[in-house]
C-alpha cells in the first residue's frame, strides 16, 4: 500500500475507492520491490480514472499477480501460440566485460549493433553470424575502459552505458534527480474543459510519437481508459514488431516522414487538434523538427497536455539517449542486484523485467490523467515530464531485500487458470496478451482492436 498511499497523498486522490488485492505471487525473482511498485502505481492510475469518471458508487480493484504480469507484458505476448520474432537480426547486446569493469550494449536495432561493433573493434562489420560478432566484440572490449567506451559511444549517439555501482553513480552526479518521478507544469491558460464520459478519457484524442516500451505503455494505458489514440511512425525508422504489436493495442497507425515538409504540416495539423501529445524521441530531436520547444506547443493549441519521457531527465546527461537496460546498468541497479544474488563483486545482473520502462509509462499516464482532471476545475495547458532515471531513484528508495530472489519466474504457464491472459484475433494472427490490470466495478477495461485496421 505504501506506493499507492504516497501517490494518493501527493495528488490528493481518494484512497477508499481502490482495493489492492491478491497475495498469490511473491515475485518476480529480484531484490527490488517490483510487485510493490507495479501494484501501487497501477492502483494510483485507477484512482485518477475513478475521479475522471465522477462515479460515486464504483470501486476499482488491482491484483498483485496481474500487476506484475503487466510489467512483463511484452515477454508474455504470443501470436498463434509462438513468440513474435525479434527485430534484432544480430543480437550482441547485454553486459560485456571491459579492461576495468563492464558495459551494457543495447542491440534493439541493427544500426545500434553495427555502430557499437565497429567502435569497439575498429573495423567494419562484415560477418552476419551473431556468435562470431559477439565473440569478436567481447575480445575487443577487453581492451577498453568502460567509461571510455561509454563516452565514445555517446559521441556517436550509440546506446551504451558503463556499469556502475550505486556509489559510483552517486559520485558522478550526471543526473539531477527530483524527489518524485513525475513533474506537472501548467504552461498556459484556457477555459475549463468538461469531461465526456462514460470512461475516464472517453472522447479524448491522443497523439503519440514514441517507440520501444516506456511511452507506448503510457498510450496503451490511456487507450484502455477510453482515449482515441493515433500512433505516428516513420518510414525512416526501423520497426520492432515484437514490441509494436503489444504496445499499439487500441491505437490506429499513421505513417509520416518528418523529413518531408508536407508530412510535417500534417503533423502540426494533428497536434493542433489533439488533447494529449506524447513523445519520447531522443532529447531535442523532435523540437528541432517542430521548430518549437515542447513547453511552448500550447501557443499552437491552448488546451493541449504534453507528455514527454526521457532516459535521464535533468543534469549533464539531459540530452543522452538511453533505454531501460542502460539506465539499470549506469545507475547501480545491476551491480546491486548481482550482490543480492551472490555474484562476484561488481558482476552485474539485470532485473527480470523492464521495470523502469513500464513504471515510467504508468507514471506518465498518471501525470497526463491528473492534468486532465485539473482541466475540469481550472482549464489550462500542461507539460508532464518523466525520466527513467527518476523512476530508478523512486524504486531504489523503496529498498531491496533477498526475500524474493528465489521466487518463480513469471511465465504464461504460471498464469494458467487465471483471467490475466486474453486472446484476440487480429490482422497479425491469434494473439494472447496480458489484459488491462484495472477493473472498475468488476468490469475489465479493454482496447478497441478495430483501430489496428483503420
Amino acid at each position: 500500500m505504501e506506493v499507492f498511499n504516497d501517490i494518493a497523498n501527493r495528488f490528493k486522490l481518494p484512497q477508499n475507492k481502490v482495493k489492492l488485492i491478491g497475495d498469490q505471487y511473491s515475485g518476480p525473482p529480484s531484490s527490488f520491490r517490483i510487485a510493490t511498485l507495479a501494484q501501487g502505481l497501477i492502483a494510483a492510475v485507477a484512482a485518477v480514472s475513478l475521479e475522471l469518471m465522477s462515479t460515486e458508487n464504483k470501486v476499482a480493484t488491482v491484483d498483485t499477480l496481474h500487476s506484475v504480469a503487466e510489467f512483463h507484458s511484452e515477454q508474455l505476448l504470443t501470436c498463434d501460440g509462438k513468440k513474435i520474432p525479434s527485430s534484432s537480426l544480430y543480437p550482441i547486446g547485454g553486459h560485456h566485460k571491459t579492461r576495468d569493469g563492464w558495459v551494457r550494449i543495447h542491440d534493439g536495432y541493427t544500426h545500434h549493433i553495427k555502430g557499437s561493433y565497429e567502435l569497439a573493434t575498429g573495423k567494419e562489420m562484415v560477418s552476419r553470424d551473431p556468435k562470431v560478432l559477439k565473440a569478436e566484440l567481447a575480445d575487443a572490449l577487453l581492451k577498453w575502459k568502460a567509461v571510455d567506451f561509454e563516452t565514445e559511444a555517446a559521441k556517436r549517439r550509440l546506446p551504451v552505458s558503463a556499469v556502475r555501482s550505486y556509489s559510483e553513480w552517486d559520485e558522478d552526479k550526471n543526473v539531477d534527480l527530483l524527489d518524485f518521478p513525475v513533474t506537472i507544469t501548467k504552461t498556459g491558460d484556457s477555459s475549463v474543459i468538461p469531461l465526456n464520459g462514460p470512461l475516464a478519457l472517453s472522447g479524448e484524442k491522443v497523439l503519440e510519437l514514441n517507440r520501444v516500451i516506456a511511452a507506448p505503455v503510457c498510450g496503451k494505458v490511456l487507450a484502455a481508459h477510453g482515449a482515441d489514440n493515433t500512433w505516428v511512425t516513420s518510414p525512416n525508422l526501423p520497426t520492432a514488431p515484437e514490441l509494436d504489436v503489444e504496445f499499439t493495442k487500441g491505437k490506429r497507425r499513421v505513417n509520416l516522414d518528418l523529413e518531408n515538409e508536407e508530412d510535417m504540416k500534417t503533423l502540426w495539423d494533428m497536434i493542433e487538434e489533439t488533447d494529449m501529445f506524447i513523445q519520447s524521441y531522443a532529447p531535442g530531436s523532435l523540437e528541432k523538427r517542430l521548430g518549437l520547444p515542447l513547453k511552448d506547443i500550447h501557443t499552437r493549441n491552448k488546451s493541449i497536455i504534453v507528455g514527454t519521457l526521457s532516459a535521464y531527465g535533468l543534469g549533464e546527461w539531459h540530452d543522452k539517449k538511453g533505454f531501460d537496460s542502460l539506465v539499470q546498468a549506469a545507475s547501480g541497479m545491476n551491480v546491486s542486484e548481482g550482490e543480492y544474488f551472490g555474484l562476484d563483486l561488481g558482476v552485474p545482473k539485470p532485473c527480470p523485467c523492464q521495470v523502469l520502462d513500464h513504471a515510467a509509462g504508468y507514471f506518465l499516464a498518471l501525470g497526463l490523467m491528473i492534468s486532465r482532471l485539473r482541466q475540469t476545475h481550472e482549464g489550462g495547458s500542461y507539460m508532464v515530464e518523466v525520466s527513467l532515471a527518476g523512476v530508478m531513484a523512486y524504486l531504489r528508495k523503496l529498498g531491496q531485500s533477498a526475500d524474493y530472489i528465489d521466487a518463480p519466474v513469471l511465465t504464461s504457464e504460471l498464469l494458467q487458470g487465471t483471467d490475466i491472459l486474453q486472446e484476440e484475433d487480429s490482422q497479425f494472427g491469434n494473439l494472447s496478451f496480458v489484459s488491462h490490470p484495472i477493473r472498475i466495478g468488476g468490469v475489465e477495461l479493454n482496447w478497441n482492436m478495430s483501430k489496428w485496421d483503420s
Side-chain angles (χ1 to χ4, degrees):
M1 290 288 288
E2 63 186 287
V3 171
F4 175 54
N5 291 342
D6 175 42
I7 298 172
N9 289 332
R10 286 176 185 271
F11 295 107
K12 297 179 172 58
L13 300 173
Q15 300 179 42
N16 60 342
K17 292 184 178 181
V18 182
K19 293 183 178 180
L20 282 67
I21 63 174
D23 58 2
Q24 70 275 46
Y25 181 60
S26 60
S30 174
S31 65
F32 292 95
R33 300 178 64 193
I34 294 173
T36 299
L37 177 62
Q39 187 179 30
L41 178 53
I42 293 170
V45 170
V48 185
S49 184
L50 288 171
E51 288 294 278
L52 287 165
M53 293 172 68
S54 299
T55 178
E56 295 296 330
N57 57 357
K58 289 186 177 179
V59 173
T61 56
V62 179
D63 176 74
T64 307
L65 179 60
H66 205 153
S67 300
V68 176
E70 171 72 343
F71 272 39
H72 290 71
S73 63
E74 74 280 6
Q75 299 179 29
L76 296 168
L77 173 71
T78 61
C79 182
D80 296 327
K82 301 177 181 177
K83 295 283 188 182
I84 297 174
S86 170
S87 59
S88 182
L89 301 179
Y90 320 111
I92 61 171
H95 293 109
H96 293 271
K97 193 83 175 66
T98 63
R99 195 168 82 198
D100 63 343
W102 297 79
V103 292
R104 174 83 192 211
I105 295 176
H106 181 81
D107 66 351
Y109 300 108
T110 300
H111 65 287
H112 292 159
I113 297 166
K114 187 174 187 293
S116 294
Y117 173 88
E118 293 182 351
L119 172 61
T121 63
K123 64 181 183 180
E124 183 181 358
M125 192 177 86
V126 177
S127 173
R128 293 296 185 264
D129 184 333
K131 291 183 179 179
V132 171
L133 292 174
K134 199 160 188 174
E136 291 179 349
L137 179 69
D139 287 342
L141 284 171
L142 290 173
K143 301 173 184 177
W144 283 84
K145 288 185 176 181
V147 172
D148 289 347
F149 188 70
E150 174 191 69
T151 302
E152 291 303 313
K155 292 177 183 177
R156 304 186 188 198
R157 304 292 285 170
L158 295 171
V160 171
S161 283
V163 174
R164 292 169 173 80
S165 64
Y166 280 149
S167 60
E168 290 170 330
W169 168 260
D170 294 340
E171 184 179 345
D172 285 350
K173 291 184 171 58
N174 291 312
V175 177
D176 294 338
L177 295 171
L178 304 176
D179 68 338
F180 192 69
V182 182
T183 59
I184 303 175
T185 306
K186 189 174 184 180
T187 54
D189 295 316
S190 72
S191 57
V192 168
I193 306 172
L195 297 168
N196 299 303
L199 294 178
L201 298 175
S202 293
E204 299 294 309
K205 293 182 179 179
V206 175
L207 181 63
E208 301 184 47
L209 268 74
N210 50 39
R211 310 182 71 210
V212 194
I213 297 178
V217 165
C218 171
K220 186 182 77 165
V221 173
L222 302 181
H225 289 260
D228 182 5
N229 293 43
T230 299
W231 178 53
V232 176
T233 186
S234 168
N236 303 318
L237 297 174
T239 61
E242 74 278 17
L243 300 179
D244 294 346
V245 172
E246 166 60 26
F247 297 114
T248 61
K249 296 197 299 289
K251 308 175 187 182
R252 68 175 60 83
R253 305 180 185 207
V254 173
N255 203 24
L256 294 179
D257 181 355
L258 301 190
E259 297 179 3
N260 179 283
E261 184 176 342
E262 193 62 31
D263 281 4
M264 277 303 303
K265 182 180 182 303
T266 299
L267 177 62
W268 264 117
D269 289 343
M270 297 171 74
I271 291 173
E272 290 171 354
E273 295 175 359
T274 199
D275 299 303
M276 296 181 182
F277 177 47
I278 307 168
Q279 81 84 32
S280 62
Y281 279 19
S285 62
L286 183 59
E287 294 181 326
K288 183 178 179 181
R289 298 286 181 197
L290 295 174
L292 189 70
L294 293 173
K295 65 181 179 62
D296 294 331
I297 286 182
H298 69 280
T299 61
R300 301 279 295 266
N301 180 339
K302 292 200 299 184
S303 60
I304 195 168
I305 302 172
V306 176
T308 184
L309 190 143
S310 66
Y312 295 103
L314 304 174
E316 291 186 17
W317 281 7
H318 70 279
D319 62 347
K320 186 179 176 69
K321 291 178 70 173
F323 296 86
D324 178 304
S325 59
L326 302 186
V327 177
Q328 284 193 35
S331 67
M333 285 182 65
N334 290 168
V335 169
S336 182
E337 185 86 312
E339 291 172 355
Y340 274 91
F341 277 80
L343 302 184
D344 291 340
L345 185 64
V347 176
K349 179 177 176 56
C351 289
C353 66
Q354 304 292 90
V355 58
L356 303 183
D357 272 340
H358 285 272
Y362 267 89
F363 272 120
L364 192 60
L366 176 79
L368 292 167
M369 293 171 77
I370 288 172
S371 299
R372 181 64 185 92
L373 186 61
R374 291 179 181 177
Q375 285 184 330
T376 67
H377 303 298
E378 57 183 275
S381 57
Y382 295 84
M383 180 84 167
V384 181
E385 297 173 272
V386 173
S387 73
L388 299 179
V391 174
M392 175 282 303
Y394 191 82
L395 178 61
R396 181 179 168 184
K397 286 180 182 177
L398 292 178
Q400 292 170 253
S401 167
D403 290 350
Y404 305 125
I405 63 173
D406 295 321
V409 174
L410 190 67
T411 62
S412 56
E413 288 74 23
L414 193 65
L415 301 179
Q416 295 303 314
T418 72
D419 56 0
I420 292 174
L421 292 179
Q422 173 181 339
E423 288 196 7
E424 186 87 24
D425 287 326
S426 74
Q427 61 176 294
F428 308 103
N430 181 260
L431 298 178
S432 174
F433 54 85
V434 177
S435 59
H436 189 63
I438 296 173
R439 286 177 169 77
I440 295 180
V443 177
E444 185 178 276
L445 300 175
N446 214 323
W447 298 277
N448 181 357
M449 298 302 208
S450 65
K451 290 182 181 179
W452 261 341
D453 301 313
S454 61

